[in-house]
């Protein structure tokens, strides 16, 4: 049958309530077989049952039966080994078994019944099933479509070491009929599921063998339950009904621990590893050329470096899909509950070794489009009647080919000039637009950048204003321009403000800049047109003069109140008057409390956390939505650099930035010496970004489905047009599709994304991206072509949009519910029959649970008094605009062991899993998630490493104040600097480095990024979450 995923059917010996011991020695055992991963798959013939070993029977003796394969060492790929090597184990005790307060109960009403399952009442019987859930070891199993590998149904301490059978699609041993034991009593405290006691599986050449006693598992009385966990009182919530979901290590509460002896824990090396999945893909596809010449092919992961060659479908840099095969009917889609979506990053940066987009110019006639649906000419169009007409691939309308575009067809029915025209042979290209595509039918002016600086008391005294002015003197020479241009066509203007606005005339003919003050902030007007927006080259001396004068001009200010909305209004009015699109760069530091439109009050109320009103914290105050709408209508993009030292209401202040396609940067408690490198790096990157202005995006689809929902830093005026005042290389829009008819397996599902925009030189263009997906009536095909990274991008954005209107608890429930539904549908419809106690994950989704758990634990979805509301609103806003690569790193950070750097090669050391047990006292680790970067140093890290990095003799001498490493002339320091630059270069935000020493206070901050462990603000560990999701799946299927 279909390709198979992760399988686990371990023995679960029930621990009695409150006692951490294992059950009686004669408790039921599942025997496990391994199949040879290299053998070809043989699906069992109909009517032939899989062999089951009866209980108590001795292992068969004698030679293996014909057809049995010897087990090969490469099969167990789930630890941290590389292909072809025996995986090495990371030493260290398993994490403590802490069970936290329970996850808020499911609301049964909001739950859609799972198709073809028993009634809801029967699901209640599964409440206690957790206790009898079996989970011990997961190994990837895949069917004909993917690389074969074996499945484990792990054994008991006395493992079965008999003959091995040829591996079918999935090999599992279950209980023979009738041998099922009644489920033991639930091990629960106040309705909580205690962590099942599970023996780790020791491997002997890949075969489950006896488990060696682990001395580190015996916990001494009075000791904390494991490395780094402080003993805490368990705060169990009210008693819960049996059918409710217990989410171990829960939201609202924090890490808690069960009394009684420590229980043995599931071996973390035996559950699906994101690092292993990433490394396997790099090994299989890294460094190769990926040609986009086949409909519905699954691209390499975002973490894999390869060269992409456009051969008719858009590069995955521009479009990634949650599945590359859509189900043919909406009923199938509802059954699987896999969101059908595309993450579109229309201006994604392409590396120098890939071809930039071709620009097609048809002169006055403009782009060729279908008469009926207005789709643009692309490789999917079918030419007929000798090339005189073409059939639209999107709506099937027959169109005439314009005479200038006519060309004969070859014997295959393909145009002779197929490869000479980008719009016929490539997935992505651009058209020059005609005046019909311009505002008021006239070509646009080049864009403008307006720099707007808050000159209130604090910014002057901190040195920030001088820093900005000094930087702009050199930065304005680097304004972005088209490849072929000598200099940038972008105009620049300058405004300063506190309670009033100061506009500057920097006309090139002036000897000195002139300042004009606008005090009427309720009705902002622009006091000058000529001389406000200038060409920097022409006005260089006046502008430089101004930038020298600004810090002195306001040196004696004692004005501490600021305005904010009128600043945006003024910038927008200036662009509107000059008939230009453009960007405002606003440098602001406090809550705008001065009497003016957009005045904000502090509404940060911790009492709202975990109530139905918590969502109001994310909703904007005042008239910022109307202001954002006006900005978009006038092509005014707002970039905001915030320097707060207390609450500034990011949810309101950042709203205009988000709707207009701008970027928000935030530097808490900004200090000149420590934070200016990060800020200046962000500013330089931002000013120099390649981008499009005054953009409108439309997504067209072939018949049978359509785009229904759009998620991103965007504004929607109607249901089809995505409007963006600007769109840069880092911004992505996630589009969800729904069926409105049956799809066709032969023609597939086609998507065309068109972005109309103004280029940096002021040319109106249309950027086109086309992609074709397959369609299938087999659910297995849909699962086989899923991409977990794109799914998580979709779930994060849809959840972060939903929290504006729904309680956070409901949003978390929906995510949990949907994950369980997707995996239950796979087990029910695509996997070979298996016991209820087996957790089976599709190969393409085997790390979905770990990523989903990271999303559920993110600070946006976890309301805790310790997490500032502004921080949550900031993260929410950033994620809404992220592409797939950025969400992947944000939710599952990169953790590199630096002590194992190979100084002789250019290679970066292989990453390790984000868990405390991967850290070692003698190690140094680098952690990065796209916003933060930590250098963690173990207490006994080698003095050579310390000397090489910090130029100090010992661990005690290292200063944790440093935010960058000293420039040292030694191989180790140079290598690390190179790695830091490499990680940094691929991410939009500059990450400030924080040095963390083991067992010192700041380590708590670092620990919250070890996402496989229990969250320090609540949230389950990966292992606990798997147990939980398995319980949910079993409930859905029972």
């Amino acid at each position: 049958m279909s390709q198979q995923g992760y399988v686990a059917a371990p023995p679960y010996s029930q621990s009695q309530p409150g006692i951490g011991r294992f059950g009686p020695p004669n408790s039921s055992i599942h025997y496990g077989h391994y199949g040879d991963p290299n053998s070809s798959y043989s699906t069992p013939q109909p009517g032939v049952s899989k062999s089951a070993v009866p209980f108590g029977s001795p292992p068969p003796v004698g030679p293996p039966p014909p057809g049995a394969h010897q087990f090969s060492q490469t099969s167990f790929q789930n630890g941290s080994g590389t292909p072809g090597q025996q995986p090495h184990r990371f030493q260290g005790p398993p994490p403590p078994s802490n069970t936290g307060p329970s996850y808020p109960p499911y609301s049964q009403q909001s739950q859609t019944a799972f198709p073809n399952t028993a009634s809801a009442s029967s699901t209640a019987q599964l409440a206690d099933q957790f206790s009898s859930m079996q989970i011990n070891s997961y190994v990837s199993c895949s069917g004909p479509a993917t690389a074969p590998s074996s499945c484990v149904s792990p054994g008991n301490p006395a493992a079965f070491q008999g003959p091995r059978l040829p591996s079918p699609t999935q090999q599992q041993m279950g209980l023979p009929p009738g041998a099922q034991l009644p489920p033991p009593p639930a091990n629960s405290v106040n309705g909580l599921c205690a962590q099942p006691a599970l023996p780790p599986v020791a491997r002997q050449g890949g075969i489950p063998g006896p488990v060696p006693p682990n001395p580190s598992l015996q916990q001494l009385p009075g000791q904390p339950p494991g490395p780094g966990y402080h003993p805490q009182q368990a705060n169990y919530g009210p008693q819960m009904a049996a059918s409710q979901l217990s989410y171990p290590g829960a939201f609202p509460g924090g890490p808690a621990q069960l009394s009684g002896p420590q229980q043995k824990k599931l071996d973390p090396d035996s559950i699906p590893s994101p690092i292993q999945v990433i490394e396997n893909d790099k090994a299989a596809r890294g460094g190769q050329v990926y040609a986009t010449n086949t409909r519905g092919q699954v691209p390499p992961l975002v973490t894999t470096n390869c060269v992409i060659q456009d051969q008719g479908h858009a590069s995955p840099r521009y479009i990634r899909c949650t599945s590359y095969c859509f189900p043919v009917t909406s009923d199938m889609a509802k059954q699987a509950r896999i969101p059908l979506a595309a993450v579109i990053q229309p201006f994604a940066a392409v590396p120098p070794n890939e071809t930039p987009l071709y620009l097609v110019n048809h002169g006055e006639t403009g782009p060729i489009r279908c008469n009926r649906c207005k789709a643009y000419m692309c490789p999917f169009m079918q030419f007929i009647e000798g090339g005189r007409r073409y059939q639209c691939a999107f709506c099937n309308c027959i169109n005439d080919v314009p005479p200038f575009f006519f060309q004969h067809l070859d014997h295959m029915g393909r145009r002779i000039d197929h490869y000479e025209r980008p719009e016929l042979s490539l997935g992505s290209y651009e058209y020059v637009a005609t005046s019909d595509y311009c505002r008021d039918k006239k070509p646009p002016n080049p864009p403008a950048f307006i720099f707007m600086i808050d000159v209130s008391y604090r910014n002057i005294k901190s040195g920030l204003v001088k820093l900005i002015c000094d930087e702009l003197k050199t930065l304005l020479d680097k304004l972005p321009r088209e490849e072929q241009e000598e200099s940038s066509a972008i105009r620049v203007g300058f405004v300063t403000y506190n309670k009033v606005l100061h506009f500057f005339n920097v006309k090139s003919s002036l000897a000195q800049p002139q300042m004009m003050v606008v005090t009427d902030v309720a009705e902002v007007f622009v006091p000058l047109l000529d001389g406000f927006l200038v060409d920097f080259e022409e006005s260089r001396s006046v502008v430089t003069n101004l930038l020298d004068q600004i810090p002195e001009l306001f040196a004696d200010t004692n004005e501490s109140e600021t305005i904010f909305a009128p600043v945006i209004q003024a910038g927008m009015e200036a662009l509107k008057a000059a008939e230009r699109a453009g960007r405002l760069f606003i440098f602001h530091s406090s809550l705008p409390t001065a009497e003016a439109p957009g005045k904000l009050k502090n509404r940060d109320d911790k009492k709202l956390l975990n109530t139905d009103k918590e969502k109001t914290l994310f909703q904007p105050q005042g008239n910022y939505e109307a202001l954002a709408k006006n900005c978009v209508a006038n092509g005014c993009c707002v970039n905001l650099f915030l320097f707060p030292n207390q609450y500034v209401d990011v949810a309101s202040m950042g709203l205009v930035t988000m709707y207009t396609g701008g970027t928000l940067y935030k530097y808490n408690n900004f200090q000149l010496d420590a934070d200016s490198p990060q800020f200046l790096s962000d500013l330089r990157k931002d000013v120099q970004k390649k981008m499009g202005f005054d953009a409108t995006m439309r997504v067209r689809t072939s018949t049978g489905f359509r785009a229904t929902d759009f998620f991103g830093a965007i504004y929607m005026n109607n249901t089809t047009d995505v409007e963006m005042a600007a769109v840069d290389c880092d911004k992505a829009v996630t589009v969800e599709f729904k069926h409105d008819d049956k799809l066709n397996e032969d023609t597939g599902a086609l998507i065309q994304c068109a972005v109309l925009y103004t280029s940096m030189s002021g040319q109106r263009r249309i950027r086109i991206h086309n992609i074709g997906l397959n369609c299938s009536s087999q659910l297995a095909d849909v699962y086989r072509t899923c991409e977990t990274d794109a799914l998580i991008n979709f779930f994060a954005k849809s959840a972060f949009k939903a929290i504006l209107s729904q309680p956070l608890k409901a949003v978390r429930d929906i995510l949990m519910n949907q994950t369980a539904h997707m995996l239950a549908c796979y087990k029910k419809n695509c996997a070979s029959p298996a016991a209820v106690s087996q957790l089976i994950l599709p190969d393409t989704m085997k790390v979905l649970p770990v990523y989903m758990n990271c999303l559920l634990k993110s600070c946006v979805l976890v309301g805790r008094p310790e997490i500032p509301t502004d921080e949550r609103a900031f993260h929410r806003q950033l994620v809404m605009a992220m592409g797939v690569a950025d969400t992947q790193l944000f939710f599952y950070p990169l953790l590199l062991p630096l002590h194992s750097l190979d100084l002789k090669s250019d290679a970066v050391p292989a990453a390790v899993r984000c868990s405390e047990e991967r850290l070692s006292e003698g190690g140094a680790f680098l952690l990065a998630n796209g916003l933060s970067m930590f250098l963690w140093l173990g207490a006994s890290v080698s003095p050579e490493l310390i000397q090489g990095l910090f130029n100090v003799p010992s661990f005690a001498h290292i200063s944790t104040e440093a935010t960058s490493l000293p420039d040292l002339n030694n191989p180790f320091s140079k290598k690390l600097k190179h790695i830091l630059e490499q990680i940094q270069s691929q991410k939009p935000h500059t990450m400030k480095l924080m040095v963390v020493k083991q067992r010192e206070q700041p380590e708590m901050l670092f620990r919250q990024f070890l996402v496989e462990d229990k969250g320090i603000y609540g949230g389950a560990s990966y292992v606990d979450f798997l147990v939980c999701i398995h319980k949910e799946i079993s409930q859905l299927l029972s």
Side-chain angles (χ1 to χ4, degrees):
M1 197 169 159
S2 76
Q3 129 260 13
Q4 214 36 66
Y6 261 72
V7 180
Y12 167 63
S13 325
Q14 170 59 35
S15 56
Q16 291 139 27
I19 300 174
R21 265 189 234 98
F22 287 101
N26 59 352
S27 58
S28 58
I29 299 167
H30 287 353
Y31 286 110
H33 295 291
Y34 278 82
D36 186 318
N38 304 319
S39 68
S40 58
Y41 273 83
S42 53
T43 315
Q45 289 98 25
V48 180
S49 68
K50 295 185 187 138
S51 73
V53 181
F55 284 100
S57 63
V61 245
H69 303 280
Q70 288 314 310
F71 178 74
S72 100
Q73 289 221 337
T74 58
S75 90
F76 188 75
Q77 287 271 317
N78 215 23
S80 49
T82 43
Q85 293 172 7
Q86 194 63 0
H88 63 278
R89 291 263 167 275
F90 286 84
Q91 293 313 312
S97 167
N98 293 350
T99 310
S102 74
Y103 187 69
Y106 251 65
S107 56
Q108 287 291 340
Q109 307 81 11
S110 68
Q111 204 170 351
T112 12
F114 191 74
N116 315 332
T117 54
S119 69
S121 61
S122 67
T123 59
Q125 299 164 2
L126 254 132
D128 307 328
Q129 184 125 11
F130 232 12
S131 14
S132 58
M133 180 199 141
Q134 317 203 336
I135 181 169
N136 195 1
S137 170
Y138 295 64
V139 172
S140 167
C141 297
S142 36
T146 53
S149 57
S150 58
C151 307
V152 189
S153 302
N156 207 37
F160 170 57
Q161 305 210 3
R164 290 171 295 281
L165 302 152
S167 158
T169 351
Q170 162 192 332
Q171 183 152 17
Q172 299 149 288
M173 303 313 296
L175 295 170
Q180 205 90 20
L181 298 172
N187 178 7
S188 65
V189 187
N190 288 357
L192 272 180
C193 300
Q195 173 61 36
L198 301 162
V201 177
R203 308 251 170 243
Q204 298 173 345
I207 297 170
V211 181
N214 187 345
S216 65
L217 285 174
Q218 283 138 29
Q219 191 189 333
L220 299 172
Q223 275 197 339
Y229 283 110
H230 308 293
Q232 286 192 15
Q233 296 311 310
N235 72 9
Y236 298 120
Q239 183 104 18
M240 291 192 166
S243 65
Q244 290 167 348
L245 163 65
S246 286
Y247 186 28
F251 295 108
Q257 122 196 38
L258 284 178
S259 51
Q262 167 118 19
Q263 298 175 332
K264 286 190 180 169
K265 192 73 177 255
L266 178 62
D267 174 12
D269 272 344
S270 64
I271 56 179
S273 154
I275 300 301
Q276 194 59 50
V277 169
I278 289 168
E279 291 300 323
N280 288 352
D281 196 69
K282 281 181 182 171
R285 308 178 80 169
Q288 300 177 8
V289 173
Y290 171 75
T292 66
N293 52 7
T294 313
R295 189 181 78 194
Q297 63 180 342
V298 182
L301 296 181
V302 280
T303 41
T304 300
N305 267 328
C306 59
V307 178
I308 295 160
Q309 207 172 63
D310 185 340
Q311 293 188 5
H313 296 268
S315 156
R317 298 192 198 285
Y318 299 121
I319 303 184
R320 280 185 176 269
C321 298
T322 51
S323 175
Y324 290 84
C325 178
F326 280 10
V328 287
T329 63
S330 61
D331 287 349
M332 273 177 73
K334 283 177 191 138
Q335 192 181 354
R337 298 265 293 261
I338 296 171
L340 305 175
V343 185
I344 304 174
Q345 204 164 329
F347 282 77
V350 293
N353 58 353
E354 289 177 23
T355 320
L357 298 193
Y358 286 98
L359 184 61
V360 179
N361 190 344
H362 286 326
E364 288 303 300
T365 51
I368 296 167
R369 304 178 68 175
C370 168
N371 291 328
R372 184 195 290 159
C373 71
K374 298 291 181 246
Y376 292 85
M377 177 55 66
C378 69
F380 307 145
M381 304 298 192
Q382 193 63 47
F383 288 91
I384 53 174
E385 297 180 22
R388 284 188 297 280
R389 305 175 93 183
Y390 69 92
Q391 182 169 18
C392 173
F394 296 91
C395 69
N396 300 320
C397 173
I398 306 284
N399 296 274
D400 290 329
V401 172
F404 82 91
F405 195 68
F406 173 78
Q407 185 53 272
H408 295 286
L409 308 184
D410 64 14
H411 64 288
M412 304 275 288
R414 178 186 273 182
R415 283 173 56 125
I416 297 168
D417 62 354
H418 176 84
Y419 290 107
E420 290 153 36
R421 290 194 177 271
E423 69 271 37
L424 299 182
S425 55
L426 298 177
S428 302
Y429 43 89
E430 292 195 310
Y431 279 117
V432 176
T434 58
S435 58
D436 294 344
Y437 294 86
C438 303
R439 281 179 196 258
D440 308 327
K441 303 257 174 152
K442 57 183 192 193
N445 290 309
F449 286 2
I450 304 177
F451 297 91
M452 314 183 90
I453 306 169
D454 165 1
V455 289
S456 59
Y457 176 81
R458 218 183 97 219
N459 284 4
I460 293 288
K461 286 289 169 278
S462 70
L464 178 62
V465 173
K466 186 174 185 333
L467 179 74
I468 294 166
C469 292
D470 289 346
E471 177 60 30
L472 288 179
K473 288 179 214 168
T474 53
L475 189 53
L476 293 174
D477 274 322
K478 300 177 186 144
L479 292 173
R481 55 188 169 83
E482 298 292 336
E483 309 294 340
Q484 66 282 359
E485 289 181 337
E486 291 287 309
S487 63
S488 176
I490 291 170
R491 297 299 167 100
V492 293
F494 304 88
V495 173
T496 57
Y497 66 94
N498 38 43
K499 264 165 76 167
V500 295
L501 292 152
H502 320 105
F503 285 77
F504 294 94
N505 184 344
V506 284
K507 200 172 176 180
S508 56
S509 56
L510 295 173
Q512 284 286 334
Q514 295 170 348
M515 178 164 96
M516 297 186 181
V517 182
V518 175
T519 51
D520 181 4
V521 291
E523 293 290 326
V524 178
F525 67 97
V526 181
L528 77 160
L529 282 181
D530 190 29
F532 178 59
L533 294 177
V534 297
D535 181 319
F536 176 63
E537 286 296 318
E538 289 172 16
S539 297
R540 179 186 294 273
S541 61
V542 195
V543 170
T544 308
N545 208 334
L546 169 68
L547 294 170
D548 285 334
Q549 287 178 29
I550 287 175
E552 291 159 24
L553 204 56
F554 300 97
D556 302 327
T557 187
N558 49 14
E559 185 55 75
S560 58
E561 281 196 312
T562 56
I563 54 176
F564 184 65
V567 180
I568 297 175
Q569 184 78 32
M572 182 192 77
E573 296 291 350
L575 291 173
K576 188 175 171 181
E579 297 185 335
R580 293 173 188 273
R583 304 169 81 189
L584 311 182
F585 292 82
I586 303 179
F587 305 91
H588 189 92
S589 65
S590 57
L591 195 69
T593 52
E595 277 311 320
K599 174 184 175 178
L600 297 173
K601 59 181 195 294
N602 188 335
R603 53 170 186 150
D604 189 16
D605 185 358
K606 300 286 186 210
K607 291 198 279 298
L608 298 180
L609 298 182
N610 300 306
T611 70
D612 280 0
K613 287 194 176 149
E614 183 173 2
K615 59 177 179 276
T616 59
L617 296 173
F618 296 103
Q619 295 164 356
Q621 316 178 49
N623 63 346
Y624 282 97
E625 284 214 37
L627 181 59
K629 185 177 172 178
N630 276 337
C631 284
V632 174
N634 289 290
C636 169
C637 166
V638 179
N639 274 23
L640 181 55
F641 294 81
L642 277 177
F643 304 87
N645 58 1
Q646 56 199 33
Y647 176 78
V648 292
D649 196 353
V650 169
S652 301
M653 293 185 72
L655 185 85
V656 181
T657 299
M658 178 154 133
Y659 274 171
T660 59
T663 309
L664 177 58
Y665 299 90
K666 188 156 84 68
Y667 311 92
N668 299 336
N669 305 314
F670 181 84
Q671 286 174 324
L672 206 64
D673 43 354
D675 300 305
S676 39
Q678 181 192 12
F679 159 59
L680 293 178
S681 164
D682 281 337
L683 178 59
R684 286 166 197 155
K685 268 191 197 175
D686 205 281
V687 167
Q688 295 175 53
K689 270 180 185 173
K690 300 273 196 285
M691 62 194 311
F693 297 86
D694 198 10
T696 303
M697 176 171 114
R698 189 172 274 197
V699 178
R700 292 180 172 84
T701 56
S702 52
T703 51
F705 74 115
R706 63 195 161 86
T708 54
D709 280 295
F710 298 84
F711 305 93
I714 52 171
Y715 180 75
M716 302 283 296
N717 216 2
N718 54 38
T719 53
T720 54
D721 293 333
V722 177
E723 296 187 43
M724 297 169 280
V727 54
D728 65 41
C729 53
D730 302 309
K731 302 288 184 292
V733 180
T734 302
V735 184
E736 187 177 14
F737 301 100
K738 296 258 164 65
H739 288 74
D740 48 19
D741 201 352
K742 198 175 172 193
L743 296 175
N744 183 323
E745 292 194 43
D746 298 333
T747 53
L750 309 179
I751 299 166
Q752 181 178 80
C753 164
V755 184
L756 172 65
Y757 74 99
T758 301
S759 73
M760 292 174 294
S761 60
Q763 188 180 43
R764 206 70 179 140
R765 295 181 184 170
I766 302 149
R767 180 172 286 218
I768 312 281
H769 298 297
N770 304 288
I771 190 167
L773 309 175
N774 287 335
C775 298
S776 175
S777 53
Q778 299 296 315
L779 276 173
D781 294 332
V782 180
Y783 281 95
R784 186 182 293 124
T785 58
C786 279
E787 185 181 303
T788 293
D789 295 328
L791 279 167
I792 287 298
N793 180 285
F794 172 84
F795 283 127
K797 289 186 182 184
S798 55
F800 286 8
K801 184 178 178 179
I803 61 171
L804 293 177
S805 53
Q806 296 182 49
L808 271 78
K809 185 190 145 311
V811 173
R812 293 194 300 259
D813 283 355
I814 290 164
L815 287 173
M816 190 79 185
N817 192 356
Q818 181 136 5
T819 308
H821 266 277
M822 285 157 54
L823 298 175
C825 174
Y826 177 81
K827 181 172 179 177
K828 182 179 177 193
N829 298 293
C830 310
S832 313
V836 174
S837 56
Q838 284 181 313
L839 174 57
I840 299 177
L841 304 171
D843 207 49
T844 54
M845 285 187 191
K846 61 191 175 196
V847 290
L848 182 69
V850 66
Y851 282 121
M852 187 56 85
N853 191 34
C854 296
L855 169 57
L856 284 165
K857 290 196 289 189
S858 72
C859 73
V860 181
L861 295 182
V862 182
R864 297 283 297 183
E866 303 92 332
I867 308 172
T869 306
D870 274 348
E871 205 58 29
R872 299 173 69 195
F874 175 58
H875 283 194
R876 176 184 170 272
Q877 187 167 323
L878 291 185
V879 169
M880 287 307 288
M882 280 183 183
V884 178
D886 290 345
T887 46
Q888 189 277 330
L889 185 68
F890 183 75
F891 290 112
Y892 195 93
L894 180 70
L895 185 59
L896 297 177
L898 298 179
H899 48 277
S900 56
L901 270 183
D902 180 2
L903 300 176
K904 295 187 183 68
S905 87
D906 281 342
V908 175
V912 295
R913 293 169 71 164
C914 286
S915 168
E916 192 174 9
E917 47 175 46
R918 308 289 161 172
L919 305 176
S920 54
E921 291 226 346
F925 291 82
L926 181 75
L927 183 142
N929 78 337
L931 282 186
S932 312
M933 192 181 262
F934 295 89
L935 177 56
W936 182 91
L937 300 161
S940 48
V941 63
S942 80
E944 296 81 44
L945 192 143
I946 292 171
Q947 186 71 47
L949 285 185
F950 297 95
N951 205 19
V952 295
S954 73
F955 184 75
H957 289 81
I958 296 169
S959 157
T960 51
E961 298 301 302
T963 54
S964 61
L965 295 173
D967 282 309
L968 302 175
N969 192 12
N970 69 62
F972 201 90
S973 179
K974 284 179 177 170
K975 177 82 195 246
L976 181 54
K977 288 256 172 169
H978 175 67
I979 290 174
L980 292 179
E981 279 162 22
Q982 219 174 325
I983 295 170
Q984 193 56 77
S985 67
Q986 297 154 359
K987 295 295 150 203
H989 283 70
T990 306
M991 295 173 260
K992 177 176 153 187
L993 184 70
M994 188 168 172
V995 178
V996 174
K997 293 159 82 170
Q998 189 178 9
R999 300 192 194 95
E1000 289 193 6
Q1001 186 51 43
E1003 201 186 13
M1004 283 302 277
L1005 197 58
F1006 167 77
R1007 284 258 303 281
Q1008 70 192 38
F1009 294 97
L1010 299 175
V1011 290
E1012 289 199 20
D1013 301 338
K1014 222 174 217 77
I1016 61 170
Y1017 297 127
S1021 69
Y1022 175 23
V1023 170
D1024 290 345
F1025 184 76
L1026 262 183
V1027 170
C1028 210
I1029 210 78
H1030 181 262
K1031 178 195 176 194
E1032 282 293 291
I1033 294 167
S1034 305
Q1035 247 173 281
L1036 288 169
L1037 294 179
S1038 66

